[in-house]
Amino acid sequence: MKLTRRKFLAWASISAVGAVACDAFGDDLKVQSPVLQPEDLVKGQDNWYATLCRHCPSSEGVLVRVIEGRAKKVQGNPNYPTNAGKQSARCDAGLQALYHPDRLAGPLQRINGTLQPVSWDVALDTLQNQLRSNGEGLTMVAPPINGPVGSIIDKFCSAFNGRRLNFEPLSNATLLETMEAVFGQTSIPDLDISNTDYLLSFGADFLSTWVSPTRWSSGFGDLRDPSIGKGRGTITQIDSRFSMTAANADRWIPITPGMEGYLALSLANVIANEGLHASGVDLGSLFGEETDNYLPEFDPDIIGPQIGLPEGILQGKSPAEFIRHLARDFAGHRPSLAIGGGAAEAHDNGSFNMQAIYALNHLVGSVGSTGGLRFNPESPLPEWVSDQTDASIKDWQGVIADIQQGRTKTLIVHQVDPVFGLPLSLGLKEAIETTDVFSISFTSFLDETSSLADLILPDRVYLEEWGADIPSPGPGYQVIGFQQPIVNPMSNVDPRSFGDILLSTAQELGKDEELPWNSVQQAVKEGADKLYSMNRGSIRASTEREFWTTLLQKGGWWDEGQTGPSVSAPNGIFASIKSKVSPPPDLGNGQFYLIPFAHNTLLDGRNSHLPWGQSTPDPITTVTWQTWIEMNSSRANELGLREGDVVRIETNGKSVQALLYPNPALPPTVVSVPIGQGHQNGSVYAVNGDERENSNILSILDASRTNGADALAWASNHVTVTSTGESLKLSKFEGEFGAREIGNEILNNPGEEVIKTVTPGSH
């Protein structure tokens, strides 16, 4: 049956019809008798609904408390495998998006140069007329979403001979490329942190923002619990920035940025040549040769002096002796696990770094084993798995060239902000402003990209929308999460479902041959029916209706019996990695290596409009609402800088300003700046303060690419830092730094690196 415009507009403002309350608490809530409730508590029907949080890429399973039609509380779904009842601060803050005063109330169209309100009829006519006349070859930019909405996006783009670009400012493209090169897999594995005995992490801030931090934070808790498994495991963090993970590690080893791969291959040299590898490992196959000296170019005597190990951490050892000791600890406390990410993959030589790091797991037998890497199986619904990877810098250069030369006449952007998240030097903002491309934005809030649009269509927030997700990474077995709308939109806003608009537009324009659904809900239900027909997994039911109801109550479906494949090492993997080695990084004319990092709650800026996200203190500095730059305390003193000084950060002929945060726990050659602030357009909470205390560090980065995946090398920039002569108060919760002792762990005086050391293996 065709979905007519009249029918679409008639039911599109209602989203929560068909939602099913969950039973995750069993009898727990029955004890909450109204007689026992305090007088100031709202006496309404208390329902909990299972759905998926969409305020971070890991899409955690959550429960939402609803009273009298209003969502009141978000917390982790104890049934959902990837987060098992835990949730991040980003999930908590997401509740504010529903009731946000700056939500777009209705469609906006650019008329005579300004955005003006129009009706949905006018907006949909404009959309369809544009696609009818200039839709061929359209470009659609969206987050890396799969499930039914991802499938609808792919099919819609295909119907117009267009292309889809997945946008993530801090892309995982190099990580995915590494999985294929080192393990022959196309997905991110699960990390069995709970059961590992020694975790060696290169730059991966897995306790804060890297990939799936809620899941892996839970694993970290298990690893630290002596009553679970092998007892208290050891974590060594190799990172040029003092991150949240570094702060919680047994040992933090700061090295020169970009040297992570050199250190990893030096560890491999020791493990192989001293016979520390796991039994059954064929060194000849791994290295492509039988010899008594593997990787001689990476002997610790050669690499040790190059990687910038600070004197404080060597504790009287030479750099070579330190590397050998680290290799013996890592290989001698199995199961051991080596992971890499963050800045380690975002240098010019990011692919080399990542492949060298992950190949260590082949040496110690940690691939597909307890306490190691566990790969995920193919999805039972492959049509819901998008084959689109994050767009590379090369992809973006091609898109911008097509816009500038008139080959792309229609640009659709859904719930991402590439104008904010890409370096200005790429020229996307200029291309949109100075060409005839017609830009259409599907969003709930104004931002840098939507403020340039010719047409803005207000989208629903996740609490009002149907959907599904295949988590990446999964827990090592098949999982599909289901998202249901748990409330209807507020009376003062009139959003529409992005997926439903694509479906209705395709039908109106006769492009619906590959898009047979009338709504996203129908597409979600069709997937659920296929799972029912398989008659396996976590939900068994006698009818499709019963299966559907239970599915929504639980928040998803999973089958622990369907695990990932066994993985063997490619022949000569270390020889292949060695051939990709690139020269060590050099500061050149810069004062400092610049290491940007994702904000703990704002991430790359996607949550900057949420006051709870802005006011959540950074776990290391406790700074809120501002952009700060962390600099080694001693270097700050040398430059005559103090906390709160406004400094100018310059590179590539561009500059931004930030407030100085002297930090004793930072190498003297490194400065680090959080991403997420510096919006010039959008919510009043995102556009707060002035350029001195809120700036976008991404805007000044060079558009250089990592070798291999062509992802943005966002950690490869060198900067100079100078005083502006101004000073402001940092908004933070902690006191001043100074020397102090915590038990037997000494945090040394400002001006030196903070080194926390616990003897590895002494559990």
Side-chain angles (χ1 to χ4, degrees):
M1 180 179 69
K2 288 285 187 180
L3 181 62
T4 65
R5 171 75 62 82
R6 181 177 180 180
K7 290 178 181 176
F8 174 74
L9 291 176
W11 55 254
S13 62
I14 302 174
S15 59
V17 173
V20 177
C22 75
D23 60 354
F25 296 103
D27 293 333
D28 293 348
L29 293 182
K30 293 181 181 179
V31 301
Q32 298 182 5
S33 168
V35 176
L36 302 177
Q37 292 177 347
E39 293 180 0
D40 59 348
L41 188 65
V42 175
K43 296 178 176 65
Q45 179 64 41
D46 185 285
N47 286 326
W48 290 83
Y49 294 88
T51 189
L52 298 175
C53 173
R54 296 295 195 169
H55 279 272
C56 55
S58 54
S59 294
E60 297 167 15
V62 295
L63 302 178
V64 183
R65 186 187 189 198
V66 177
I67 299 178
E68 297 182 341
R70 296 290 179 263
K72 301 290 186 179
K73 166 70 176 173
V74 175
Q75 68 181 59
N77 182 351
N79 290 318
Y80 200 66
T82 61
N83 58 297
K86 310 300 190 294
Q87 87 273 6
S88 69
R90 298 174 287 275
C91 291
D92 295 328
L95 187 65
Q96 290 190 316
L98 184 64
Y99 305 116
H100 205 293
D102 296 333
R103 278 190 72 175
L104 294 172
L108 300 172
Q109 186 170 339
R110 192 169 298 278
I111 302 173
N112 297 325
T114 61
L115 289 169
Q116 300 180 22
V118 294
S119 69
W120 269 106
D121 265 323
V122 171
L124 293 175
D125 281 338
T126 302
L127 171 66
Q128 292 177 13
N129 290 337
Q130 175 63 25
L131 291 173
R132 186 179 290 110
S133 57
N134 291 299
E136 287 296 306
L138 73 84
T139 294
M140 185 179 296
V141 187
I145 185 173
N146 51 33
V149 175
S151 179
I152 289 169
I153 292 173
D154 288 338
K155 294 179 184 300
F156 188 88
C157 290
S158 178
F160 288 92
N161 296 315
R163 58 184 159 186
R164 167 188 175 180
L165 269 69
N166 285 346
F167 178 63
E168 281 281 359
L170 306 185
S171 168
N172 286 323
T174 301
L175 176 60
L176 288 167
E177 176 200 56
T178 297
M179 294 303 108
E180 188 162 8
V182 179
F183 305 109
Q185 298 296 303
T186 58
S187 63
I188 301 173
D190 184 37
L191 311 178
D192 190 14
I193 295 175
S194 296
N195 295 303
T196 196
D197 196 42
Y198 194 109
L199 175 60
L200 186 61
S201 170
F202 292 76
D205 193 7
F206 63 88
L207 294 181
S208 180
T209 58
W210 185 68
V211 184
S212 190
T214 301
R215 174 167 178 76
W216 294 334
S217 292
S218 180
F220 168 80
D222 292 343
L223 176 142
R224 289 302 203 211
D225 189 343
S227 67
I228 297 177
K230 293 176 66 64
R232 189 184 191 279
T234 299
I235 297 178
T236 294
Q237 180 75 3
I238 299 169
D239 202 341
S240 50
R241 183 180 77 87
F242 190 66
S243 63
M244 182 175 175
T245 303
N248 285 278
D250 298 282
R251 176 187 288 163
W252 170 53
I253 304 175
I255 64 173
T256 300
M259 293 298 292
E260 294 86 353
Y262 288 82
L263 176 55
L265 289 189
S266 192
L267 296 175
N269 166 280
V270 177
I271 293 170
N273 292 328
E274 294 189 3
L276 304 175
H277 53 283
S279 61
V281 171
D282 184 350
L283 294 181
S285 175
L286 282 179
F287 290 91
E289 60 177 344
E290 290 285 356
T291 179
D292 58 359
N293 189 8
Y294 295 100
L295 298 174
E297 310 94 324
F298 296 92
D299 186 282
D301 290 321
I302 298 173
I303 299 301
Q306 298 183 37
I307 62 176
L309 291 170
E311 288 295 329
I313 199 173
L314 293 176
Q315 298 180 339
K317 300 184 182 72
S318 70
E321 289 173 328
F322 183 87
I323 292 175
R324 291 189 176 97
H325 182 75
L326 179 62
R328 293 163 189 158
D329 277 339
F330 172 67
H333 293 93
R334 293 196 289 265
S336 51
L337 172 63
I339 63 174
E345 65 179 304
H347 297 289
D348 295 334
N349 63 346
S351 292
F352 162 71
N353 289 337
M354 294 290 281
Q355 292 180 30
I357 292 163
Y358 280 93
L360 290 172
N361 294 291
H362 286 304
L363 278 175
V364 295
S366 296
V367 181
S369 63
T370 299
L373 303 171
R374 299 184 298 192
F375 283 90
N376 290 284
E378 293 184 359
S379 173
L381 299 178
E383 65 272 22
W384 280 6
V385 181
S386 174
D387 59 359
Q388 300 288 329
T389 59
D390 293 348
S392 68
I393 292 299
K394 185 177 180 180
D395 291 332
W396 278 107
Q397 289 169 335
V399 167
I400 293 167
D402 286 347
I403 292 173
Q404 291 170 333
Q405 297 169 25
R407 291 190 293 268
T408 294
K409 298 184 182 300
T410 303
L411 175 67
I412 297 178
V413 181
H414 167 56
Q415 294 288 22
V416 290
D417 191 3
V419 170
F420 177 85
L422 289 171
L424 281 175
S425 58
L426 273 176
L428 177 62
K429 182 175 186 290
E430 182 182 5
I432 295 174
E433 288 179 324
T434 61
T435 66
D436 293 331
V437 67
F438 194 87
S439 175
I440 304 166
S441 178
F442 289 83
T443 183
S444 302
F445 299 90
L446 278 177
D447 54 29
E448 262 60 30
T449 304
S450 59
S451 65
L452 300 176
D454 298 288
L455 180 66
I456 300 178
L457 304 177
D459 200 2
R460 290 175 178 166
V461 300
Y462 80 90
L463 294 172
E464 303 163 341
E465 183 65 293
W466 290 95
D469 181 65
I470 300 164
S472 178
Y477 50 87
Q478 289 181 338
V479 175
I480 299 180
F482 281 77
Q483 173 188 344
Q484 61 176 329
I486 53 89
V487 293
N488 287 318
M490 299 287 288
S491 59
N492 62 327
V493 295
D494 190 17
R496 295 289 186 269
S497 163
F498 166 70
D500 287 349
I501 290 178
L502 294 188
L503 292 172
S504 64
T505 300
Q507 290 191 5
E508 292 272 355
L509 298 179
K511 300 278 190 178
D512 56 332
E513 184 176 353
E514 295 289 324
L515 295 154
W517 311 284
N518 284 333
S519 66
V520 173
Q521 181 181 1
Q522 184 184 352
V524 172
K525 181 62 165 58
E526 181 181 290
D529 291 344
K530 290 181 180 179
L531 292 177
Y532 166 75
S533 67
M534 295 176 187
N535 194 31
R536 61 178 175 86
S538 57
I539 300 175
R540 300 295 179 93
S542 57
T543 65
E544 287 183 353
R545 181 179 180 83
E546 181 187 352
F547 184 89
W548 173 249
T549 300
T550 307
L551 182 73
L552 296 183
Q553 288 177 334
K554 298 295 184 184
W557 172 97
W558 41 91
D559 189 344
E560 297 184 39
Q562 299 294 314
T563 57
S566 59
V567 174
S568 58
N571 287 332
I573 182 61
F574 279 99
S576 174
I577 295 168
K578 184 176 68 172
S579 69
K580 299 172 183 175
V581 67
S582 56
D586 187 353
L587 260 180
N589 296 324
Q591 277 181 310
F592 300 96
Y593 297 99
L594 171 65
I595 305 297
F597 60 96
H599 191 283
N600 189 54
T601 49
L602 307 185
L603 297 178
D604 49 33
R606 71 187 69 187
N607 296 329
S608 59
H609 59 290
L610 303 175
W612 285 350
Q614 288 277 7
S615 59
T616 301
D618 174 74
I620 298 299
T621 66
T622 76
V623 176
T624 64
W625 290 96
Q626 295 170 321
T627 301
W628 68 94
I629 174 172
E630 297 173 26
M631 179 186 294
N632 176 272
S633 301
S634 180
R635 285 298 300 273
N637 289 335
E638 291 174 7
L639 296 173
L641 298 173
R642 302 177 62 184
E643 180 182 294
D645 284 353
V646 181
V647 298
R648 181 173 291 104
I649 309 163
E650 186 171 1
T651 186
N652 308 311
K654 299 179 177 62
S655 67
V656 294
Q657 296 180 18
L659 302 183
L660 185 75
Y661 184 93
N663 189 340
L666 210 66
T669 58
V670 171
V671 292
S672 56
V673 181
I675 298 166
Q677 301 281 19
H679 286 272
Q680 302 300 312
N681 296 280
S683 166
V684 64
Y685 302 104
V687 185
N688 64 85
D690 57 32
E691 64 177 7
R692 297 174 300 173
E693 54 182 337
N694 282 287
S695 57
N696 177 16
I697 193 66
L698 293 173
S699 66
I700 68 171
L701 301 185
D702 182 55
S704 59
R705 299 178 272 174
T706 60
N707 54 9
D710 285 334
L712 176 66
W714 49 264
S716 65
N717 291 259
H718 309 139
V719 298
T720 58
V721 179
T722 56
S723 174
T724 65
E726 297 183 89
S727 185
L728 296 171
K729 185 71 175 177
L730 267 176
S731 174
K732 64 187 180 73
F733 284 82
E734 53 98 38
E736 301 301 319
F737 271 116
R740 62 190 188 275
E741 288 193 9
I742 304 176
N744 294 324
E745 298 178 1
I746 299 176
L747 292 130
N748 52 330
N749 293 322
E752 301 176 10
E753 292 73 38
V754 173
I755 308 299
K756 294 175 59 181
T757 324
V758 173
T759 304
S762 59
H763 304 151

